[in-house]
Amino acid sequence: MAAGESQTPVSLSDRELQIIDLVAAGLTNQEIAGKLEISKRTVDNHISNILTKTQTENRVALVRWALQWGKVCLNDVNCCPLPNLND
């Protein structure tokens, strides 16, 4: 495990998880703000809080953390289909 990556589960809000997903998709803070119809400053604050909660130092480390904890799905990596209840 790389330095700065949390080894314990972290409680994140739905909005924070949504922002992590958009960061993982490669969007800038300005693009995230436009997509979510919030200010860039709000996105900046969310990302700062997320980095603190996850004990990560930057966006790359955050995406690594999110993949490790199954918080994002990238190109079918970490994607678990929901079971079909009709089977």
Side-chain angles (χ1 to χ4, degrees), residues 30-66:
Q30 187 65 49
E31 292 167 332
I32 293 170
K35 188 166 185 80
L36 299 180
E37 299 180 348
I38 58 178
S39 75
K40 180 187 173 292
R41 183 176 169 107
T42 299
V43 174
D44 294 342
N45 288 335
H46 277 302
I47 290 180
S48 178
N49 291 338
I50 293 165
L51 293 175
T52 299
K53 285 182 177 183
T54 59
Q55 299 175 12
T56 54
E57 296 179 8
N58 55 52
R59 295 164 81 90
V60 172
L62 174 60
V63 172
R64 288 176 48 89
W65 176 91

Side-chain angles (χ1 to χ4, degrees), residues 5 10 16 26 28 35-36 44-45 49 76 79 81:
E5 291 184 15
V10 174
E16 289 170 332
T28 65
K35 188 166 185 80
L36 299 180
D44 294 342
N45 288 335
N49 291 338
D76 296 327
C79 300

Side-chain angles (χ1 to χ4, degrees), residues 7-31:
Q7 295 184 10
T8 58
V10 174
S11 178
L12 297 167
S13 70
D14 288 340
R15 179 61 97 185
E16 289 170 332
L17 292 171
Q18 187 177 31
I19 288 175
I20 290 172
D21 192 49
L22 295 172
V23 168
L27 275 66
T28 65
N29 288 11
Q30 187 65 49
E31 292 167 332

